[in-house]
Amino acid sequence: MIKHALPVTREADFAAWYQSVIAEADMAEESGVRGCMVIRPWGYGIWERIQRLLDDRIKATGHENCYFPVFIPLSYFEQEAAHVEGFAKEMAVVTHHRLIADGKGGLVPDPEAKLEEPLVVRPTSETVIGHAFARWVQSWRDLPVLINQWANVVRWEMRTRMFLRTAEFLWQEGHTAHASAEEARAETLRMLEVYRDFAESDLALPVVAGEKPENERFPGAVATYSIEAMMQDGKALQAGTSHFLGTNFASAQNIRFQNNAGELELAHTTSWGVSTRTIGALIMVHGDDDGMRVPPRVAPWQVVIVPMLRDTPEDEALVTYCRELQQALARQSALGEPLRALLDLKPVKSTTKRWGWVKKGAPLVIEVGGRDMAAGNVSLIRRDRLYRADGKLDSVAMPRDALAAEAPALLEAVQQALYDEAAARLRTGITPASDWAAVAAHFAPEARNPGWLEVQWARPTGVALDAVVEKLKALKLTLRNAPIDQAPADGTCVFTDAPAVERVLVGRAY
Amino acid sequence: MIKHALPVTREADFAAWYQSVIAEADMAEESGVRGCMVIRPWGYGIWERIQRLLDDRIKATGHENCYFPVFIPLSYFEQEAAHVEGFAKEMAVVTHHRLIADGKGGLVPDPEAKLEEPLVVRPTSETVIGHAFARWVQSWRDLPVLINQWANVVRWEMRTRMFLRTAEFLWQEGHTAHASAEEARAETLRMLEVYRDFAESDLALPVVAGEKPENERFPGAVATYSIEAMMQDGKALQAGTSHFLGTNFASAQNIRFQNNAGELELAHTTSWGVSTRTIGALIMVHGDDDGMRVPPRVAPWQVVIVPMLRDTPEDEALVTYCRELQQALARQSALGEPLRALLDLKPVKSTTKRWGWVKKGAPLVIEVGGRDMAAGNVSLIRRDRLYRADGKLDSVAMPRDALAAEAPALLEAVQQALYDEAAARLRTGITPASDWAAVAAHFAPEARNPGWLEVQWARPTGVALDAVVEKLKALKLTLRNAPIDQAPADGTCVFTDAPAVERVLVGRAY
């Protein structure tokens, strides 16, 4: 039996396994500040890769980056009723702008420095960006406005979990304004497609793109779309959302333009975001019982070279041998970018290093000992296939120069293998159910890893939808989305027995 | 007489000119949130370039990026007395985590959701990062710890000014921990040198690197170093700081390690930062009466092509002609990176576009009309030399393909010209003064653009230094820094008549 590198397996306790990956891969840790985490270099390095790749896509679709204030005056929120209703319960509020000594050696907010109007730490920026749009947009010539920002936001969650649900998180939020509803809807779907392709191509994360049901809409939106990924425990994780806001925010914030005919019209707006939550998805989709496995496109280091140093005079030649490899690799291009190769010379035992990089999930780990060097070789470990069939570590000797030449192809193979593995799981994890009894049976308490069900429904609204949501809640289920790419409905609604109008996914979720 | 593009000249009103550059170049604007600005795409694009270039340098010197919480518990601050003393007066304090309806249609912080311990919105992160260092550092093997973060910080300033002094600003803050004071001091100076070279090579901003006097030290630091740039009105702007913190923070936060001999020692820490303030320096060093002039290395677009469209069928051929140029330029490398060329097809009059890009300060603006195209030409405007000697706009016709080939050399020339112009100003702007009467005469109220004085002093401390600071304050002067690169002192202190020990710069400052 294989002795895995993590203290707990996915099978034994998925939630504990998730935390152990984060800890053992040095990705993040609790900060001591309630609900906030410290993102450590390996975790932040993945985020930097996500930023770079997604930012390129956001710019390629014509958007420009800006930066808006972290503080939003309370009055801005009050203008859009559904929006404030959705966020009021979880807002961090700044009330003072100075501290004074409390006379007991400590500090307290200075009562003389109380703000006239409290400021909210942004949970999302529609309101403050809408105010800017109202200044920027006068005529149809000013439209569309296509902007994005990379920022921290705060939502005061009661139960937090690293990456998945933290009081503060990092994200990008795109905000656009258009002259017509059609154009704004097209933008909403364009960015959904950008997210889908980014998730699949860059993160090796197969997803289902679809429309959220009414009860799952962003507060203030007319329509919300998401990409949903399936974790290894069968739960869903919403990995990106795109909202068509109609004229809701434009009318609250007075974003009006003079059209071609000289008449004043309300603009139509959208917003869309992807956050550090995505890193939680990467862990739960790609991680295994030996730790994280980072898809090569988003790996801070794609190839890590570990010389087996022994504190002897021979070490110097070994380091030179390894450095030549590192330099040969750095001259290569992999997956369309310069290859990122690290030579790890930290003063740490080489087996500790090996397992450190395995747990971090570097795609290729190259070990080089004196014997390898004598033979002109290196030993290669591919992180996506760590063990041989006999349970031994799959470390393969190969000529150093062949490795340098083949590394780009190997990285492509790892990226593809991670995607294929996850895609197969998503494909087999979604099954159809045609009546409520089948739904209830599928999600019986003893069912392990039930995945999602695709059901047909009549898309009820209002109180009828509330009843459906309650019914699902009793089984700990939620409506995920109605896939954009779906066959026409041809049955009856599993909730109401009315004729179905579309297919919708049902599952447990993070 | 030249009719310049801005409504006000530097000569007439430098402060109003500064605001007009920001407005006319669409760099930033007031947000409606007290003391906070909106950084618009052109301003944020410059920040993105600064981030990319400085981040490369920070990583090349062995630092890794992390992310720490935006909120810091009050108690963390209370541990370092000098530090909290320095920042308590300008801290934004979060006291509640929920809003409720006030019964009058508005919202108020929910008294039931008052935080047990108020949280400060970080003004700087030594305290929260120190807590992490205390967890990370156990043995000498864990040292040095070399990290950096890109983040927003908040200091509640009473009088704000865009880019220069805003309640919220963006920056990078490096934080390191070392086994010895020597190593930490070396790190402090290494990063000062990184900043100096970055400012001069990338921002075309000549600076003086030196040590701040005691009264200007970062709260809690043992020594603070800065790079100081000279604005066109002769005032100084501190464009980056690097602090040697000794064991002050390590002892407050218990950052201890077991040394080689098995004994517990305090670590020695540093911190260093560069912020969006730098953009204010770029404006006041490089801007002119026609707007901003962005050094090519940090220009979001280095070459902007403006086709003179006339809404006729010939437009199509003109756009193709321009697009070929844009593509030829994009294949070039300039200043060590792929050249950034934009083809501006917005539905705006071409003269408006020309002046828009002049005001934004794109290094090269290429105009192309039907006549240019017929001759295989384009018209080139170099932003660093906008007018000919006769006061006419210096627009030069040249073959399109020659422009494509020469653009990298032209961009290097613009970068160098901006640097040379600023370097000459800094050189002639610093003059020596050997007694107090000369200082007072130099900075007489009627003196225009007095620059800085280099004086010798005895480097007084405590109350003797306070007296010097008061004396200077009466003339609106401050001590800037004692240049690292200076001749040995050979005179008497201009303040105290004691034998001088070093030279220090004195001037007005932002």
Side-chain angles (χ1 to χ4, degrees), chain A residues 76-365:
Chain A
Y76 285 25
F77 277 96
E78 291 165 353
Q79 294 167 348
E80 219 294 333
H83 188 64
V84 73
E85 165 80 18
F87 286 105
K89 293 197 190 81
E90 50 185 43
M91 285 187 189
V93 193
V94 175
T95 54
H96 295 75
H97 63 79
R98 189 165 59 224
L99 296 169
I100 49 163
D102 65 359
K104 292 174 283 185
L107 292 166
V108 287
D110 183 351
E112 304 277 298
K114 193 169 172 189
L115 298 177
E116 275 184 40
E117 179 179 7
L119 295 172
V120 168
V121 183
R122 65 181 157 218
T124 181
S125 303
E126 279 75 9
T127 54
V128 70
I129 294 182
H131 269 76
F133 281 8
R135 293 191 297 270
W136 298 352
V137 173
Q138 309 294 330
S139 129
W140 63 273
R141 284 171 211 273
D142 301 322
L143 294 171
V145 181
L146 306 172
I147 64 108
N148 177 62
Q149 82 172 352
W150 291 92
N152 55 341
V153 287
V154 170
R155 299 178 187 176
W156 203 268
E157 304 277 358
M158 277 307 153
R159 297 187 54 181
T160 60
R161 213 161 180 190
M162 279 192 283
F163 289 116
L164 299 178
R165 198 174 292 280
T166 47
E168 180 191 17
F169 57 92
L170 305 180
W171 78 347
Q172 62 65 219
E173 46 179 324
H175 296 267
T176 69
H178 306 263
S180 72
E182 297 66 47
E183 202 186 300
R185 279 189 186 274
E187 164 78 6
T188 309
L189 292 173
R190 180 183 310 119
M191 297 320 292
L192 181 71
E193 173 59 15
V194 164
Y195 286 165
R196 188 201 61 72
D197 191 48
F198 164 69
E200 302 201 334
S201 304
D202 291 338
L203 307 180
L205 217 59
V207 293
V208 177
E211 183 174 356
K212 287 288 202 186
E214 183 186 284
N215 64 307
E216 297 276 356
R217 273 180 205 146
F218 177 75
V222 173
T224 285
Y225 299 83
S226 71
I227 52 171
E228 304 276 332
M230 187 182 285
M231 307 298 105
Q232 289 181 63
D233 63 352
K235 287 194 193 171
L237 188 147
Q238 177 178 296
T241 49
S242 186
H243 315 292
F244 169 59
L245 305 174
T247 55
N248 291 349
F249 285 84
S251 80
Q253 289 157 346
N254 206 24
I255 313 172
R256 282 165 210 275
F257 67 99
Q258 204 158 37
N259 66 19
N260 234 326
E263 295 148 353
L264 263 191
E265 280 189 51
L266 282 172
H268 304 260
T269 67
T270 83
S271 67
W272 27 273
V274 157
S275 76
T276 36
R277 224 179 171 224
T278 312
I279 298 176
L282 283 174
I283 295 170
M284 291 195 286
V285 168
H286 298 306
D288 67 15
D289 295 339
D290 293 290
M292 183 55 186
R293 298 189 301 173
V294 190
R297 274 190 201 275
V298 288
W301 298 114
Q302 297 169 314
V303 183
V304 176
I305 306 163
V306 177
M308 318 285 263
L309 303 175
R310 298 187 305 170
D311 279 326
T312 64
E314 285 81 56
D315 281 0
E316 203 183 315
L318 190 60
V319 167
T320 303
Y321 182 81
C322 289
R323 181 160 288 136
E324 287 163 2
L325 173 60
Q326 190 270 329
Q327 288 164 347
L329 288 167
R331 282 192 296 270
Q332 298 265 30
S333 170
L335 295 156
E337 293 178 282
L339 196 155
R340 298 181 292 281
L342 175 74
L343 172 57
D344 182 355
L345 294 176
K346 283 214 175 139
V348 175
K349 257 188 16 190
S350 26
T351 51
T352 307
K353 272 190 206 174
R354 170 207 284 168
W355 288 105
W357 289 111
V358 164
K359 289 190 282 187
K360 282 188 159 72
L364 304 179
V365 179

Side-chain angles (χ1 to χ4, degrees), chain A residues 60-90:
Chain A
T61 42
H63 305 85
E64 294 182 302
N65 286 339
C66 294
Y67 189 76
F68 293 85
V70 67
F71 296 137
I72 305 182
L74 244 183
S75 56
Y76 285 25
F77 277 96
E78 291 165 353
Q79 294 167 348
E80 219 294 333
H83 188 64
V84 73
E85 165 80 18
F87 286 105
K89 293 197 190 81
E90 50 185 43

